């Protein structure tokens, strides 16, 4: 067994490794580092190795999403799309949300704006469902990733819908300050026509 400090260090470097078995956490972190160093083929191999050492199906699905991200970086978009498509329909929001977001980003880059918007909205809705199921930390992270993708793709209506959903969540939770801050952002987008 790895010492807790080693596992904590890996999780700090690559938070997605936190819930993986020890050796899989190492390989996933190596994959993340390889991807950040623009070594996508080596990243795919490392993520695949992490996946084979992971018994949990949801964790394996999330590692496949990372493999797909590395495949996109290696200009293998068709292979990445084939890997992501079934994952985007997973019954688990923790797999489906990042897969739908990654697939939406691919479609957006390919110019399929309508399909990209549908996928990004699905990702945002799944992230919200994850929050409501009690996984607030990861759900908020995924919801904000969806916000960034909407903004990057220039999809202001999709962004505003996702932001309104998050504001409603914070209001229902009793955090008026968070809800108000998000609503102010929506108002700024409506009046300025951008998220700047």
């Amino acid at each position: 067994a790895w010492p807790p400090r080693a596992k904590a260090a890996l999780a700090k470097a690559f938070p997605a490794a936190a819930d993986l078995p020890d050796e899989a956490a190492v390989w996933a972190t190596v994959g993340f580092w390889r991807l950040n160093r623009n070594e996508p083929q080596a990243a795919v191999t490392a993520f695949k190795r992490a996946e084979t050492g992971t018994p949990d199906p949801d964790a394996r699905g999330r590692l496949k999403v990372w493999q797909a991200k590395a495949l996109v970086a290696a200009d293998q978009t068709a292979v990445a799309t084939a890997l992501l498509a079934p994952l985007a329909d997973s019954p688990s929001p923790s797999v489906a949300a990042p897969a739908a977001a990654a697939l939406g980003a691919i479609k957006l880059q390919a110019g399929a704006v309508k399909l990209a918007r549908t996928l990004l909205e699905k990702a945002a809705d799944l992230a919200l469902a994850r929050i409501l199921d009690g996984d607030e930390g990861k759900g908020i992270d995924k919801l904000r990733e969806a916000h960034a993708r909407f903004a990057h793709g220039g999809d202001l209506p999709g962004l505003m819908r996702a932001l309104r959903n998050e504001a409603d969540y914070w209001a229902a939770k009793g955090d008026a300050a968070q809800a108000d801050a998000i609503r102010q952002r929506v108002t700024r987008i409506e009046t300025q026509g951008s998220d700047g």
Side-chain angles (χ1 to χ4, degrees):
W2 284 58
R5 282 179 32 197
K7 191 75 180 278
L10 289 174
K12 186 175 180 183
F14 182 50
D19 60 349
L20 299 176
D22 291 348
E23 187 173 342
V26 171
W27 283 111
T29 307
V30 168
F32 178 71
W33 288 333
R34 294 280 194 181
L35 188 56
N36 282 344
R37 288 191 341 215
N38 200 25
E39 299 171 359
Q41 291 297 346
V44 170
T45 302
F47 287 130
K48 183 67 178 166
R49 217 155 153 192
E51 179 200 344
T52 59
T54 303
D56 178 58
D58 285 358
R60 282 198 314 267
R62 291 189 298 273
L63 287 165
K64 285 181 181 178
V65 172
W66 280 98
Q67 287 173 49
K69 290 178 181 183
L71 287 165
V72 168
D75 292 325
Q76 296 181 35
T77 306
V79 179
T81 300
L83 187 61
L84 289 168
L87 296 173
D89 290 328
S90 169
S92 170
S94 72
V95 175
L103 197 52
I106 289 170
K107 297 301 181 186
L108 190 61
Q109 288 177 341
V113 176
K114 188 174 180 180
L115 179 56
R117 181 178 182 176
T118 301
L119 288 163
L120 292 171
E121 286 176 353
K122 177 181 179 181
D125 290 345
L126 287 167
L128 191 60
R130 191 169 180 181
I131 293 166
L132 295 172
D133 281 345
D135 193 355
E136 183 176 287
K138 288 183 181 178
I140 290 291
D141 289 345
K142 293 300 173 191
L143 189 58
R144 292 195 175 142
E145 282 178 27
H147 293 173
R149 290 185 192 278
F150 281 127
H152 180 69
D155 183 357
L156 295 182
L159 175 61
M160 288 191 302
R161 178 176 172 257
L163 287 169
R164 284 186 187 110
N165 285 343
E166 185 180 349
D168 290 346
Y169 166 75
W170 288 117
K173 192 170 179 187
D175 191 336
Q178 278 274 40
D180 288 345
I182 293 168
R183 287 187 181 120
Q184 288 173 7
R185 182 177 174 193
V186 170
T187 301
R188 191 171 56 249
I189 294 169
E190 289 173 336
T191 56
Q192 296 177 359
S194 69
D195 188 29

